[in-house]
Structure formats: structure tokens, C-alpha cells
Amino acid sequence: MPVKALEEYNRLLQIGIIQRFGTKPTDKIIIKATPGDRLTLRFKTPAGEETLTTEKLELKIKMKPLEKPLLKERLILSSHRSYENAEEDAQFWKNKGIEVEVTQPGRWKVWAKREVYKTPLLRRWLLESIQAHSNTNVYLDLEALKQRPTAYWNMNGYTYHRHELHITAGKNEIIINNQFNQDTAISEERRYAGSLKLQPNAYGTYTLVNNVPIETYIRGVVPHELGAWPPKASLEAQAILARTYALRNLHRFAADNYELCADTHCQVYKGLDVYPETDAAVTATRGKVLTYEDELIDAVYFAVSGGVTADFNDLWNGTERPYLQPVVDAPNNIWDLSTNSLASEQNFRKFMNLTKGFNEEGWIEFRWREVVSLPGIVSYLKSYFRQKNSPFAQFEIIKKVEVTERSPSGRVLKMNVETDLGMIQLNKDEVQNAFWVPWSTLFYLDPIYKPDQTLWGYAFVGGGFGHGVGLSQKGAIKLAELGWTSDRILSFYFPGTTVLPLSELVTFGQK
């Protein structure tokens, strides 16, 4: 790719590196310049923009009492474990003529768009209209606020209260000591390239956003997603996927006015905590992305497949991705899915008894067994339903749990939970949220009985770690050790795809 084209596509990304700052009054962020440098702070005042310089800044939170309680009201259309399902549900509502936005106050949620349905009358009209069509899962989330978190800092004997703050440094590097939620989180210091912006989000708190060029961002992703020292080809494959994923998901946090987060809800990003080996992989693949029919793919990946990857629709709803289909995660043909579908419980258990010949052989996540009592299942399942504002949160007794449908890749598609309130059905990736113990949806259940033959609980027996769709990171490491190139590794996990330089793409559209 020519240098000019590289610069054109090395655009700035807006990464929310600290989300929901201000949730607690003890939240604090220490921001420092690198040795010999200074920070420049820019913020608006009634008289115009003001500029300050300093070597160190401590951002804190003050809970300001409101003159009178403020009723915060949001119309929640649905709640999801994953962005993929939230995005698909958002499209469902759009097709019905309802304006929506995808948010992440904890779980991913679809809200009626605030700027469209901005009065209580409009929100109640919409709620009643939806409920009239037998949709009882939609609800109004009401919160009476008596105080508001306000960001502030002290400097030169003056206290500055601002909802927005731009921070730059002369050397273009900034150090952050994150003591956000310091009573539960480990304080850690990191360097970030580019600039920072503190800004309000959709939940009444703040997000600290890092504005960083994409190639610098990829440097801070690869070692923290795959590791610093795996074989070169696997690092290059990870770099290509990370770049593709970022460019295809720029809309993910539109409701909060930034583009991507820095944790596993997007990609793990830790700034300039980088390594020579991973930097070399980023440089070698600079500007390269993975495509299907000349468009960016849905470049998803995970830790361990458990021996077989999943179809996109095994976990999520939406349009089929032809390049995201089940692949037996082994260099040789040790299981034929076309003749021995893992949708069969008998085939599935036979497959799960296999431990040799797979790319992930030897990893602790490859095969696992987790035991949980009925009270444990009840406790976590009730918590899950409370988060979803579901009436099922009122159940007290579980009589039986069973897998009722599997996909051809063996993934759990449907589970039934028989309770004192009736039968509850759980689908696809929600299973992992509802039960907590399964490391993936690739598992079967074995009931465990007490000496008197009454049900005590269940053993979840499975394989893999993560959603299982796309590339297995541990599998890619093994294939690289076998001498496979990055292109071959990517073709294995994403059949029918092609690695291309960004300059050859006509559009950044989606398929």
C-alpha cells in the first residue's frame, strides 16, 4: 500500500478506555505527562475556551445534590448478553418504524431513541402501542436522581468542575493511573498514545476516551489478546483480525459518542504496553484486513473452541455469515461433521470424549467439568432474570434442567428449566449468562443425585472457552507452530475469505 494510502486509512479511533467513571464517589483517575513533558488541558467556559498546562492531573468525582429530584426515564425494548443480538434486535424494531439505539449500561440493551421519544407522553404512547401487540418484555426504567456525579480537579488553588475536558501532551504520550472504582479494582499505570477526552455518556456518568491512530491501537491489542510471544504467523493473523474487527465495529458505542471499548466486549486494549514481537506483526500486516466478497468480515475470535468452531447463528441471531461456519479445530480430518452431526446427543458425547489430535490439545480450557448445586443454579438464574427485569425472577424451585436442542457443531441452542412458575426456555449465548458455570455453550449435563436419589445438582461437562465463532486463538498458535502462514490460518477458520490491503476495498460496508 502506498504511504499516502496508509496515512489515509490510519484514521483516529475513539476508544473508551475508562467507561462509567463516576459510578461511585471514590472514583479517581490520575493522569500524568511523561518525564520532561507537560499536559495541556482544554475546556469550555462561559467566556470561551480556557487552556491550562500541568505535569499531573487528578480527576475526581463529587456527588452534587439536585435542587429537586430528577426522574430519569428510559424505554427498554430488550436486553442481551452480546452486542450481536442487540444489534439484530435493534434492526427488528427499526423495521417496524421505531427509532432505537444500542446501549451498554451493563448488559447490552436496545432503548427507544432518547432524542426521538423525548417526553414522558411519547414514551408511554410507544410503550402502550408495543404492549398492545402482546410484547410484554418492553418496560420503562425509572430512576429518581437526587444527586449527580460531577467530574472535577484542583489546580492553582481553584476547583474546576467540567463535564468535558480535552487532554493532550507535547510528546503525544500520556500516563494514566486508573483508580476507577478503586475499592474493587487494582490500581495500574499505563501509557497511551494520542489524546484523551473526558465526556458524558448515556448513563449519567463519564467515559475517558483515547483518540489514537488505528495502527497504534492495534499495537496495544495484539499482545493482550493473543500474548506477546506466540509464533509470528499467529501474531500476524491476530493483527489482521484486530484491524478488521475495529473498522467493522466503529458504530458500536454511537449512543455514548465514541466507537469502541477497551475490554472483552470489543477487544482488549492496553495502550502502549507493547512488545517487539507483536509490533513486528503489526508492521508486517500494516493496512491489511480480512474480507469476504471485497467487504470487511465480522472478524470474531475467542480463546478455545473445544475441538470445533461454531456457526454464527449457533450463538447469535441475524443474517448468516457464509464464512462463519463450523470447522473441526484440528490439522487433520479426525471428525466428519457432514456425516456425524453433533446435533445428535450420542454423537456429541462421543466427540467430547476425544482428546487427541486437536489444535488445542493440552490446554486446560479444552475439556472441563463444573459442578453446581440446585441452590447455586437458583441463585444465579434469579439474578440473571432480575437483570432482565423478567417476571421469572420470582421463581423459587428448580425441578429439572435439560438441553433440548443442539446445533450441528454441538452448541446448545435451547435449554429448558422446569420451575415452580412453569417451564423457562433459554436460548443460545444467554445460556452462559443464566448459569454462569459453563465456559462455553459446548457442553452436556449430567444430573447428580443425593443418597436418597433426590436431585442435588448438575455437572456441566464441556469444552472450550468463549463464544466459539471464528478463530480459535490457541488453535491458531498451534497451526503457526506447525508452519502454517497467517493467510492459511485465516482461511482455515474463515473459509472463503481473502486478506486484502485497505486501499483495494471499495467500501467499509458489512455483509
Side-chain angles (χ1 to χ4, degrees):
M1 184 185 290
V3 173
K4 185 177 180 181
L6 277 172
E7 295 306 316
E8 179 182 350
Y9 288 110
N10 193 22
R11 55 156 285 178
L12 287 179
L13 299 181
Q14 299 168 8
I15 312 298
I17 54 175
I18 299 177
Q19 300 171 285
R20 295 178 286 282
F21 171 64
T23 303
K24 298 179 182 178
T26 54
D27 290 354
K28 181 169 69 171
I29 306 172
I30 300 173
I31 303 174
K32 299 186 293 185
T34 56
D37 198 10
R38 293 182 70 81
L39 303 175
T40 298
L41 316 181
R42 292 186 295 110
F43 51 92
K44 292 180 181 178
T45 73
E49 186 174 87
E50 185 172 342
T51 300
L52 299 172
T53 61
T54 184
E55 293 179 353
K56 180 180 177 181
L57 173 71
E58 288 193 13
L59 285 174
K60 300 179 182 179
I61 289 295
K62 182 176 182 180
M63 295 296 181
K64 282 195 169 183
L66 299 173
E67 291 184 6
K68 59 180 181 179
L70 173 66
L71 183 64
K72 200 79 172 178
E73 185 177 85
R74 306 178 183 98
L75 182 54
I76 313 298
L77 303 180
S78 59
S79 173
H80 307 271
R81 179 179 189 268
S82 59
Y83 174 81
E84 287 78 6
N85 279 343
E87 183 180 42
E88 177 63 19
D89 194 65
Q91 189 59 52
F92 166 82
W93 294 109
K94 289 177 185 177
N95 291 342
K96 290 182 174 293
I98 298 173
E99 293 295 319
V100 299
E101 54 190 340
V102 177
T103 63
Q104 196 213 22
R107 285 174 60 84
W108 291 99
K109 294 187 177 182
V110 180
W111 291 359
K113 199 163 189 176
R114 289 161 295 162
E115 64 184 46
V116 175
Y117 308 99
K118 53 189 175 182
T119 67
L121 183 62
L122 278 173
R123 288 190 289 270
R124 278 159 179 76
W125 168 81
L126 180 57
L127 176 63
E128 291 171 5
S129 299
I130 294 172
Q131 289 180 338
H133 289 84
S134 301
N135 192 320
T136 58
N137 294 323
V138 176
Y139 66 97
L140 279 172
D141 181 34
L142 303 175
E143 183 182 11
L145 300 177
K146 296 181 179 180
Q147 56 186 8
R148 179 184 182 182
T150 302
Y152 76 95
W153 71 94
N154 297 311
M155 189 174 294
N156 302 325
Y158 187 81
T159 299
Y160 294 85
H161 296 90
R162 293 295 181 271
H163 291 304
E164 288 193 0
L165 174 64
H166 295 263
I167 306 169
T168 57
K171 295 180 181 178
N172 208 37
E173 289 186 14
I174 300 173
I175 299 170
I176 296 178
N177 188 315
N178 178 11
Q179 296 181 25
F180 171 55
N181 285 337
Q182 60 183 350
D183 57 338
T184 58
I186 298 174
S187 175
E188 50 188 357
E189 191 169 279
R190 293 205 181 105
R191 288 186 307 133
Y192 289 87
S195 64
L196 302 175
K197 182 183 178 184
L198 183 74
Q199 61 187 45
N201 55 36
Y203 324 110
T205 53
Y206 298 90
T207 302
L208 186 64
V209 177
N210 181 205
N211 298 289
V212 59
I214 186 169
E215 294 299 328
T216 307
Y217 162 77
I218 301 302
R219 292 177 63 204
V221 170
V222 174
H224 305 292
E225 279 291 356
L226 193 67
W229 299 284
K232 176 183 176 183
S234 58
L235 290 172
E236 290 179 355
Q238 179 69 72
I240 292 168
L241 284 184
R243 188 178 296 107
T244 308
Y245 180 95
L247 290 172
R248 197 179 190 274
N249 284 278
L250 297 175
H251 57 291
R252 187 165 282 217
F253 285 87
D256 295 312
N257 196 31
Y258 60 96
E259 293 170 331
L260 293 164
C261 60
D263 59 25
T264 54
H265 286 288
C266 301
Q267 302 183 115
V268 177
Y269 165 64
K270 296 188 178 182
L272 291 174
D273 186 3
V274 298
Y275 300 85
E277 293 83 357
T278 53
D279 275 358
V282 175
T283 300
T285 63
R286 186 174 172 87
K288 290 183 179 180
V289 290
L290 193 58
T291 67
Y292 182 79
E293 295 183 351
D294 295 329
E295 294 191 349
L296 297 175
I297 72 157
D298 203 348
V300 286
Y301 54 89
F302 55 90
V304 177
S305 71
V308 59
T309 69
D311 187 281
F312 178 88
N313 292 123
D314 289 353
L315 275 292
W316 306 308
N317 302 321
T319 306
E320 183 182 76
R321 276 68 161 168
Y323 50 84
L324 293 176
Q325 56 185 257
V327 174
V328 175
D329 205 350
N332 301 308
N333 186 18
I334 60 176
W335 188 276
D336 188 348
L337 289 173
S338 65
T339 58
N340 293 284
S341 171
L342 298 183
S344 157
E345 191 71 17
Q346 181 179 359
N347 283 345
F348 179 69
R349 293 197 178 217
K350 182 179 178 181
F351 179 86
M352 295 304 291
N353 282 328
L354 300 177
T355 58
K356 301 296 182 181
F358 293 94
N359 289 326
E360 303 160 341
E361 179 184 332
W363 290 97
I364 190 172
E365 305 94 338
F366 178 63
R367 293 284 181 264
W368 45 262
R369 184 176 186 270
E370 295 288 340
V371 173
V372 61
S373 67
L374 283 183
I377 295 175
V378 168
S379 175
Y380 205 85
L381 197 53
K382 284 170 70 72
S383 174
Y384 163 76
F385 284 123
R386 282 194 294 269
Q387 291 176 39
K388 290 173 65 70
N389 199 51
S390 168
F392 283 124
Q394 303 305 315
F395 87 91
E396 295 296 336
I397 298 171
I398 287 179
K399 301 175 183 178
K400 185 179 181 181
V401 182
E402 63 179 339
V403 174
T404 57
E405 185 180 347
R406 293 189 184 282
S407 72
S409 74
R411 305 283 158 172
V412 173
L413 296 180
K414 293 180 182 178
M415 290 187 72
N416 282 347
V417 183
E418 187 179 346
T419 74
D420 54 318
L421 290 185
M423 193 69 73
I424 302 172
Q425 181 174 288
L426 299 163
N427 301 318
K428 298 186 178 182
D429 75 333
E430 288 293 329
V431 167
Q432 282 184 269
N433 257 178
F435 290 104
W436 177 68
V437 289
W439 299 9
S440 73
T441 58
L442 193 73
F443 67 86
Y444 61 85
L445 292 173
D446 276 340
I448 299 174
Y449 296 98
K450 300 176 185 177
D452 63 1
Q453 294 306 300
T454 58
L455 185 64
W456 178 88
Y458 286 90
F460 289 71
V461 185
F465 186 85
H467 54 68
V469 184
L471 176 135
S472 162
Q473 292 171 313
K474 298 299 191 293
I477 291 172
K478 177 64 175 180
L479 292 175
E481 290 172 348
L482 293 175
W484 289 35
T485 64
S486 58
D487 285 18
R488 187 181 176 191
I489 291 170
L490 293 172
S491 293
F492 175 76
Y493 287 110
F494 302 92
T497 60
T498 305
V499 175
L500 288 176
L502 278 165
S503 58
E504 292 187 17
L505 291 187
V506 176
T507 175
F508 280 6
Q510 301 176 14
K511 277 198 175 181

